[in-house]
Amino acid sequence: MRIGVDYYPEHWDKELWAQDAQLMAQTGVSLVRLAEFAWCRLEPSDNRFDFTWLDEAIDCFASNGIDIVLGTPTNCPPRWLLEKHPQIIPVGRDGRPQATGIRGHRCLNNPLLRKYSERIVKKLAGHYKDNKNVIAWQIDNELEAHLCFCETCNNRHREWLRSKYGTIENLNEAYGTVVWSNEYSSFDRIEPPYGDYNKAWQNPAYMLDFTRRAAEDVTEFARFQADIIRSVIPDAQITTNTWFCEDTPDFYRLFDELDFVSYDNYPTTSLPQNPDDIYTHAVHLDFMRGIKKKNYWIMEQLSGSMGCWMPMQKTTRPGMLMGYSLQAFAHGANTVVHFRWRTATKGAEMHWHGLIDHSNVPGRRFFEFAELCKKAKSLEKFSGTELNSDVAILYSVDSRNAFALQPQTDGFDYMEQIKLMHQAFAGYGVNIDIIDEHSDFSTYKIICAPALYVTNSDTAARLHAFAGQGGTVILTARSGVKDMNNNCIMAQLPTVYSDLTGCHVAEYDPIGWDTVNVRFNHGETLIGRQWCDILEADDAEVIARYASDFYSGAPAITRREIKKTENHSLSYVYYIGTVGERKLYEKCARMALEDAGISFIPDLPRGVELTTRTGNGLSAHFVFNNTAEEKCFLLFGENVRLKPFEFKVMQINPSFV
C-alpha cells in the first residue's frame, strides 16, 4: 500500500519545496500529484511554455525518492485563453456564459478548447516522456457529465440524435412528442432544456437522451486526452479522478480505456445519531473496485475538516484519518493519496484542510498520518492481493438518471437503495462488487438488482439466464417500469421480470415518508416506507406480507424457487416490494446467503466491517471499526477488541499482524 499527497508547488515559495520533500520522505510519503490546476504557470501566454518550475519541483521530490503523478491542467484554462477565445466558456441553462474565476470553466466540446488542450497535453507528455519519476498521468480533474448549452454542444446533440434515430419521425415516435403538441419538424429545431425549471416537466425520453449524450461527451474527452498521451508515451499509466456528484458520469464507460480507476474519497466526519443511517464509504469503495473489477487508487483522501462551498465540517476524530485510509485499502485501494499536504492560505479552498494547518506546525492529524505511513509499509506484502466476491450489486446508469428526472415519491432515492442492499450484505462480512449492466455475471452467486427502472432487454435476458444457471437474484420495487426510451411499459409490473419473480404487482402505493408494517412468516414485523408494491404471487412463495393499511395481508416480499436441473443447482429469485429499514434488507440478505451456500459471519457487530483479500499465496481478513465506540467481539475463535476507527489484519491461519 502506497501513501501519497497532493501538492501545489505553484502556490508556495520555493524555499518550502525542499523542506516539504524532506519531511514527506521522512514521514513515508512515496508519491505526489502535481499540476492539475497549473495551466497558467505552464503556459503563461499563448504558445509560450515554462516547465522550469515544474522541473525543479519534480527534481526536488525525485531526489527524496518520491514519485510523481502529473495532472493535465485542462480543468482550468488560463485567463489569457478565455480573453482571447471567450467561446470556450460553457453556457448555462439561462443561455448565458457561466461565470469565470471558478474551476471547470470550459466547454469540453469546444473545438478551440480541444485545440489548446491538445497542445498543452502533448507538450507536457513530450517534456516528461523520459522522466522515470513520472509514473502516472491524471486527466483533468473530477470530470462530470458535461452539461453545456452553447451552440457547439447544441449542434453536437442534434447530430447525436440524428445518428441514433435516423429520421425525425422515429424520434417523435420514440419520445411521444405528440403529448402536449410538441412534435418536431426537423432535428435542427431541437433545442436543449434551457431555463430554471423542474426537470420533471420536460419530456422524460428527451431528458434521458440528453444525459446519455452528456455522459458520452465526458467519456470522449477523457479518451481524447488519453490518446494524446499514449501517442507520445505508449506505455503511460493513465487515470482520471472521479467522485459522486450531481452530474455523475457513467463511471464504467469513463474508465473503459483508462488504465486504472481513481476516486476522491471524503467520508463524513460527523457520525449520524440515528443508528440506521448509512454513513460508511465502503459502498463507494466497492463501487470503484467494481468498475474494472480490479484494485484502484484513491487520488484525494480526507485529511481534515472540509469547507469551501459549504460551512466547515467537524475535524477528523482521533483514528479517523488512519482508519478511513486503511478502510480504502481493505476494499481494494493499492494507493491512497491525501488531499492535501498543507492547507491552502489563498483561494476558495483555504478551509478545506490538509495535513498541516495554516500555522505550518505539524499537529495531531499530521502525526496520525505519519503513523498511517508506517502501517502502510507493514502492509506492503498484501499489495498484490485482491478481493474476490460472490455477491454483486447491479448499478444501472440509465435508471439512476431516470429517477433523477422523475422523482417517484418523497424520500425515494436510487442510491439509497444501493447503499441499503450493500450494507445488508456487508454486515455479514462478505465481499461485494458493484457492477453495471454490461458486466460479466458468471463469476457471482448472488446478484442484487434494486429498482431496475429502465429496462435493458439484454440485462433482463442475462438475469434470466443467471437464475437459470443456479444464481440467486434479488429484484425490488420499481423494476421493469420503463423501456429504453424512458416510456412506461404497458404490462403488469415488473413486466419483463414477472416470469422470473413469479409474482406481479396488482397495485402500488407511493407512501413517501409514511410507513407500513411488514410481517414475515415467522412473525417478526419490520418497517416499509416510500413505496409499496401490492403483490400477487403466481408461482412464488410469500415470505412477508403487509400488516397495515388497506392492503394488509397482501404479499410484500416473495421468493421463487427455480428447480434444480441436471447441470445447475437450485436457485431463488427474491422480489422486495417496498423500501425497507435496514433490518428488512439484512433479513433478506441472510436468507439469500443461505440459499446460495455462501459462508458468512452471522453476528458481526454493527459498524464493524470485514473484507477478505487473497493472492500471491496470502489470504487475510481486514477488520475495521467504523464507529466512535469500542467494539469487543469473538471472530474466528479470537477475542477482538477494536478502538474507534481501529483497523486490524487477521491472516487466514489466523494470527494478527
Side-chain angles (χ1 to χ4, degrees):
M1 180 183 178
R2 299 190 73 181
I3 298 294
V5 295
D6 299 304
Y7 193 75
Y8 299 90
E10 67 273 26
H11 296 180
W12 307 106
D13 293 336
K14 287 185 180 181
E15 290 73 18
L16 282 175
W17 297 359
Q19 299 174 32
D20 287 340
Q22 291 169 10
L23 183 56
M24 287 179 196
Q26 293 168 10
T27 306
V29 171
S30 63
L31 61 92
V32 297
R33 182 189 67 175
L34 303 175
E36 79 274 13
F37 293 132
W39 195 341
C40 70
R41 290 296 176 89
L42 295 168
E43 190 179 2
S45 60
D46 193 353
N47 208 28
R48 182 173 72 84
F49 299 93
D50 180 10
F51 297 157
T52 305
W53 66 273
L54 187 55
D55 291 341
E56 292 178 19
I58 290 174
D59 289 345
C60 181
F61 290 112
S63 66
N64 283 276
I66 298 172
D67 291 329
I68 308 299
V69 177
L70 269 187
T72 66
T74 52
N75 186 270
C76 293
R79 278 280 175 184
W80 62 259
L81 179 53
L82 300 180
E83 291 165 1
K84 186 172 185 177
H85 299 293
Q87 60 267 50
I88 284 173
I89 300 169
V91 172
R93 291 187 187 278
D94 59 1
R96 299 177 180 177
Q98 293 180 359
T100 58
I102 57 173
R103 66 186 188 189
H105 47 256
R106 76 282 188 251
C107 169
L108 304 186
N109 292 326
N110 185 277
L112 283 167
L113 186 277
R114 292 296 184 98
K115 172 187 172 182
Y116 283 93
S117 294
E118 180 175 11
R119 189 172 72 183
I120 185 65
V121 172
K122 187 172 286 187
K123 287 281 187 181
L124 265 177
H127 190 80
Y128 292 106
K129 64 184 175 67
D130 296 321
N131 192 315
K132 301 304 181 184
N133 297 106
V134 178
I135 63 166
W137 293 78
Q138 174 191 296
I139 291 170
D140 207 86
N141 182 78
E142 293 183 346
L143 288 164
E144 300 185 28
H146 181 52
L147 293 178
C148 176
F149 299 80
C150 72
E151 202 53 31
T152 296
C153 292
N154 296 349
N155 287 330
R156 182 180 178 90
H157 187 60
R158 293 175 189 121
E159 290 307 309
W160 187 90
L161 294 173
R162 196 189 309 272
S163 176
K164 179 174 181 177
Y165 293 103
T167 69
I168 198 65
E169 290 78 14
N170 289 340
L171 180 143
N172 281 324
E173 176 62 26
Y175 283 11
T177 52
V178 67
V179 176
W180 290 353
S181 198
N182 196 39
E183 290 180 309
Y184 295 106
S185 58
S186 73
F187 287 102
D188 294 335
R189 305 304 299 172
I190 298 174
E191 295 290 336
Y194 286 122
D196 183 14
Y197 60 92
N198 187 323
K199 289 183 284 189
W201 280 99
Q202 290 280 0
N203 181 294
Y206 158 87
M207 289 298 295
L208 185 58
D209 265 353
F210 193 77
T211 65
R212 285 166 171 160
R213 193 269 307 162
E216 286 187 20
D217 284 353
V218 74
T219 297
E220 195 277 329
F221 184 69
R223 185 185 303 119
F224 156 75
Q225 291 205 35
D227 288 346
I228 295 168
I229 296 169
R230 291 194 179 108
S231 72
V232 180
I233 315 172
D235 60 348
Q237 291 295 296
I238 305 173
T239 188
T240 187
N241 58 327
T242 197
W243 66 308
F244 289 89
C245 52
E246 182 179 357
D247 299 311
T248 297
D250 181 345
F251 296 135
Y252 300 90
R253 303 289 77 76
L254 177 62
F255 286 100
D256 257 350
E257 297 182 34
L258 304 183
D259 295 292
F260 60 96
V261 173
S262 295
Y263 178 58
D264 292 351
N265 188 40
Y266 292 103
T268 183
T269 56
S270 299
L271 304 191
Q273 298 298 312
N274 184 348
D276 284 336
D277 286 348
I278 298 172
Y279 61 88
T280 176
H281 265 221
V283 63
H284 296 176
L285 303 172
D286 287 342
F287 200 123
M288 293 302 118
R289 193 185 66 255
I291 292 171
K292 295 179 82 72
K293 294 189 179 180
K294 64 180 186 181
N295 293 347
Y296 58 94
W297 284 29
I298 299 295
M299 197 63 82
E300 296 183 16
Q301 175 69 25
L302 176 75
S303 295
S305 176
M306 298 174 288
C308 183
W309 55 90
M310 74 291 198
M312 280 186 278
Q313 309 296 296
K314 283 186 175 182
T315 191
T316 57
R317 308 291 98 179
M320 268 187 181
L321 188 147
M322 180 186 291
Y324 284 155
S325 295
L326 295 172
Q327 178 196 32
F329 173 71
H331 287 267
N334 280 347
T335 299
V336 176
V337 181
H338 278 255
F339 185 87
R340 53 198 283 167
W341 174 253
R342 181 186 290 105
T343 308
T345 59
K346 300 173 183 177
E349 289 189 317
M350 65 175 68
H351 296 310
W352 198 288
H353 288 71
L355 295 166
I356 300 174
D357 289 333
H358 296 132
S359 65
N360 201 29
V361 177
R364 174 184 62 85
R365 296 195 317 283
F366 178 84
F367 295 121
E368 186 173 318
F369 174 77
E371 288 301 310
L372 166 66
C373 291
K374 294 177 184 177
K375 182 70 173 180
K377 189 168 184 62
S378 75
L379 296 173
E380 283 182 355
K381 65 179 179 179
F382 296 109
S383 62
T385 61
E386 297 182 338
L387 287 84
N388 299 308
S389 304
D390 289 326
V391 178
I393 297 174
L394 192 62
Y395 172 86
S396 166
V397 175
D398 277 341
S399 294
R400 180 193 184 275
N401 289 334
F403 280 129
L405 296 171
Q406 289 183 302
Q408 300 296 285
T409 185
D410 287 340
F412 188 99
D413 182 86
Y414 178 68
M415 278 305 297
E416 186 69 15
Q417 293 192 58
I418 296 282
K419 292 176 182 179
L420 284 164
M421 201 71 81
H422 179 274
Q423 188 67 35
F425 282 96
Y428 294 111
V430 298
N431 292 348
I432 307 154
D433 290 344
I434 299 180
I435 62 174
D436 80 331
E437 295 181 85
H438 305 285
S439 295
D440 178 12
F441 295 170
S442 65
T443 60
Y444 303 103
K445 295 180 179 179
I446 297 175
I447 292 180
C448 312
L452 284 181
Y453 186 61
V454 176
T455 304
N456 183 313
S457 58
D458 178 65
T459 302
R462 294 198 300 126
L463 284 173
H464 278 77
F466 177 77
Q469 294 165 3
T472 293
V473 176
I474 302 176
L475 294 167
T476 75
R478 306 314 282 152
S479 293
V481 176
K482 299 289 196 78
D483 62 19
M484 288 297 287
N485 290 321
N486 204 16
N487 298 319
C488 285
I489 298 171
M490 190 180 289
Q492 282 191 309
L493 295 170
T495 66
V496 299
Y497 300 110
S498 294
D499 60 333
L500 183 62
T501 61
C503 69
H504 65 272
V505 180
E507 186 180 354
Y508 54 71
D509 187 8
I511 63 173
W513 294 118
D514 290 345
T515 61
V516 296
N517 293 327
V518 178
R519 182 171 297 135
F520 283 78
N521 289 346
H522 58 75
E524 184 177 9
T525 299
L526 299 175
I527 299 299
R529 46 193 167 83
Q530 272 89 57
W531 194 273
C532 295
D533 275 347
I534 303 163
L535 303 177
E536 290 184 359
D538 300 319
D539 62 343
E541 170 194 6
V542 177
I543 60 176
R545 297 178 182 272
Y546 295 110
S548 59
D549 221 303
F550 71 88
Y551 36 89
S552 181
I557 303 174
T558 62
R559 179 178 66 174
R560 177 174 174 246
E561 181 181 292
I562 299 177
K563 300 297 182 184
K564 185 175 182 178
T565 64
E566 183 178 348
N567 298 320
H568 301 293
S569 60
L570 191 68
S571 61
Y572 296 89
V573 179
Y574 288 78
Y575 188 85
I576 302 174
T578 187
V579 179
E581 60 179 312
R582 283 178 64 170
K583 286 183 180 179
L584 185 145
Y585 293 97
E586 289 166 357
K587 184 172 289 293
C588 292
R590 178 165 184 158
M591 293 174 65
L593 290 168
E594 291 171 345
D595 288 342
I598 298 173
S599 298
F600 63 93
I601 302 168
D603 51 1
L604 197 63
R606 180 168 285 195
V608 173
E609 300 174 7
L610 184 147
T611 58
T612 304
R613 289 182 59 150
T614 58
N616 293 342
L618 294 171
S619 186
H621 301 299
F622 298 88
V623 191
F624 173 50
N625 176 14
N626 195 355
T627 76
E629 301 171 350
E630 184 175 84
K631 299 286 184 177
C632 301
F633 53 99
L634 189 68
L635 182 64
F636 306 121
E638 298 279 342
N639 289 312
V640 179
R641 180 187 297 271
L642 293 175
K643 293 181 289 187
F645 309 105
E646 187 176 3
F647 175 95
K648 286 187 177 180
V649 181
M650 179 182 282
Q651 290 194 234
I652 297 300
N653 47 18
S655 64
F656 281 102
V657 296

